[in-house]
Amino acid sequence: MTHDYVERLKREHPLRELFWECTLRCNMACRHCGSDCLKESNIPDMPFADFLPVLDEVAAHCDPSRVMVDTVGGEPLVRPDLMDCGRQIRERGFMWGFVTNGLLLDRSVARELAQAGINSLALDVDGMREEHNWLRNSTESFDAAMRAIEAVQTIPDLTWDVITCVNGRNLHRLNELKQLLIEAGVTHWRCFIIDPMGRAARNKDLLLTDEQFRDLLNFIVTTRCEGKINVNYACDGYLGAYEGLVRDNFYSCQAGLTVASVRADGAISGCLSIRSDYSQGNIYRDSFWDVWENRFEPFRNREWMRHGACQDCEVFRYCQGNGFHMRDENGDLFMTCHYNRLKNIKL
């Protein structure tokens, strides 16, 4: 995205994606979980009736057909009323999507999703069998994920892709995984790296070295040139010389510009990848739309981020301080800046 376009988004902030943290429960215990989700959560699932006024407010101020509502977890499919939630989201004119680990997604569930009007879905596949099952901490997960890939292809007009969390254990087998996904019918693939958040903060072995990070990006460049599967690197930071090579779009953190979230406890913030507290209100006491329109200044004027490593950075104009998820509650960059990791390494 160009600098001028991002500046226009700051002024106009058209809501395009709304995350609803519909559950913090999960049927797995993945080693890298940034949310540190558990089978039973201290925070109960938010009743859909509590989230409905948010949808009504949004629909009153903008075209709901241009807003994607993502029901996020945890694992959304553990929520027994998920299909009904999705159906009501669609009935109000919104698009509906979510990310799943695939453990509960078979052809029967795919039929229910189709009937409920699902628009978008992402599946987690984190390597070949051994590496995937290790990361997901489950001996059943890989087979379930492959079964889910078969199932989603039965849903008409579904936009879907596969997400891979790249780490030191699966990096060397990405070519094998690429071929597996192509043969399974996957056409769109996103690669993420694991950030030191939640459970992953206690397992440093999950993190890539600078050289491994470069190797991942080079793999993506090569794969994109091959043209057999559309692969993108995640939207988690500015990549300097790799911008324009590893994504369909140039980097821009959209938290608070086009993206908002409602957490399981009602807190209103930007993207749900942000684990530090940047909440600007709560739906149980505030109007969601008033918060979106009038209280998101920290997301839209990011000059306050120009300190520490960002203070004199020559690319701040383009990077705008990196992703919000990389900042702690004090605004300090607690994760390594991708640009600084890469600028001294040749392509």
Side-chain angles (χ1 to χ4, degrees):
M1 296 183 182
T2 66
H3 175 73
D4 289 344
Y5 180 62
V6 173
E7 291 302 310
R8 193 182 83 187
L9 288 181
K10 291 180 183 179
R11 294 191 302 271
E12 299 177 0
H13 46 268
L15 184 62
R16 293 289 177 260
E17 190 161 20
L18 175 59
F19 292 102
W20 175 38
E21 196 172 50
C22 68
T23 185
L24 283 173
R25 295 178 295 122
C26 190
N27 53 359
M28 298 181 71
C30 303
R31 299 177 192 273
H32 66 299
C33 182
S35 304
D36 209 2
C37 292
L38 302 169
K39 185 175 181 180
E40 298 297 332
S41 172
N42 292 328
I43 300 176
D45 296 354
M46 180 188 292
F48 186 63
D50 294 0
F51 182 63
L52 271 178
V54 174
L55 295 180
D56 292 340
E57 282 191 69
V58 173
H61 291 91
C62 60
D63 181 357
S65 69
R66 302 189 67 186
V67 180
M68 173 65 73
V69 178
D70 291 297
T71 48
V72 183
E75 169 52 50
L77 285 171
V78 304
R79 186 174 171 125
D81 64 342
L82 182 67
M83 302 301 173
D84 186 55
C85 294
R87 189 175 294 108
Q88 293 193 56
I89 289 169
R90 295 289 287 125
E91 287 173 353
R92 284 161 174 78
F94 295 91
M95 296 179 286
W96 170 46
F98 65 92
V99 180
T100 176
N101 60 37
L103 198 60
L104 298 176
L105 180 49
D106 56 18
R107 285 178 178 257
S108 174
V109 173
R111 284 193 294 272
E112 293 184 65
L113 289 170
Q115 292 167 2
I118 187 76
N119 297 101
S120 174
L121 194 144
L123 292 164
D124 296 313
V125 181
D126 293 313
M128 303 299 286
R129 182 187 303 276
E130 179 183 352
E131 290 78 19
H132 175 97
N133 284 345
W134 174 83
L135 188 64
R136 294 283 162 178
N137 215 9
S138 166
T139 58
E140 304 173 14
S141 181
F142 180 81
D143 289 339
M146 300 309 295
R147 182 184 66 233
I149 287 176
E150 293 180 3
V152 298
Q153 293 179 72
T154 68
I155 302 176
D157 303 318
L158 178 70
T159 298
W160 65 282
D161 67 354
V162 161
I163 294 174
T164 298
C165 291
V166 180
N167 58 83
R169 287 210 179 197
N170 64 14
L171 177 65
H172 70 290
R173 301 191 71 182
L174 286 182
N175 273 308
E176 292 177 76
L177 179 59
K178 173 179 66 177
Q179 190 58 37
L180 177 77
L181 295 179
I182 292 171
E183 292 175 358
V186 177
T187 58
H188 289 75
W189 184 22
R190 276 182 288 163
C191 289
F192 285 71
I193 61 170
I194 296 173
D195 295 318
M197 303 163 64
R199 215 168 285 153
R202 304 190 290 271
N203 192 343
K204 304 299 182 183
D205 292 339
L206 293 173
L207 311 181
L208 295 183
T209 66
D210 293 351
E211 289 74 18
Q212 288 174 324
F213 184 40
R214 175 206 57 198
D215 291 345
L216 167 61
L217 297 180
N218 286 339
F219 166 81
I220 293 174
V221 171
T222 299
T223 300
R224 288 172 67 87
C225 290
E226 292 170 351
K228 296 178 181 179
I229 186 170
N230 181 279
V231 60
N232 277 267
Y233 180 67
C235 58
D236 67 353
Y238 180 75
L239 301 173
Y242 282 95
E243 288 295 326
L245 299 177
V246 296
R247 302 188 189 100
D248 292 343
N249 300 301
F250 285 88
Y251 170 75
S252 174
C253 176
Q254 292 297 293
L257 305 187
T258 63
V259 176
S261 68
V262 175
R263 295 194 178 277
D265 62 359
I268 303 169
S269 187
C271 174
L272 274 179
S273 293
I274 305 170
R275 306 316 304 179
S276 301
D277 186 7
Y278 282 95
S279 301
Q280 304 300 310
N282 192 292
I283 65 167
Y284 289 112
R285 62 173 183 268
D286 303 305
S287 157
F288 171 85
W289 195 256
D290 178 64
V291 172
W292 173 254
E293 284 292 297
N294 302 307
R295 300 196 201 173
F296 266 51
E297 184 65 14
F299 292 98
R300 295 167 189 159
N301 181 357
R302 303 185 183 183
E303 283 298 313
W304 62 268
M305 289 186 175
R306 201 190 283 268
H307 69 274
C310 299
Q311 185 168 353
D312 300 313
C313 182
E314 66 271 21
V315 299
F316 188 88
R317 171 185 173 90
Y318 309 105
C319 174
Q320 295 283 293
N322 250 309
F324 263 80
H325 73 290
M326 303 174 79
R327 303 267 169 178
D328 64 18
E329 283 83 356
N330 299 317
D332 295 324
L333 197 66
F334 74 97
M335 287 192 235
T336 305
C337 167
H338 294 341
Y339 175 71
N340 283 330
R341 295 179 73 178
L342 294 167
K343 67 179 180 181
N344 294 320
I345 298 177
K346 294 181 179 180
L347 296 181

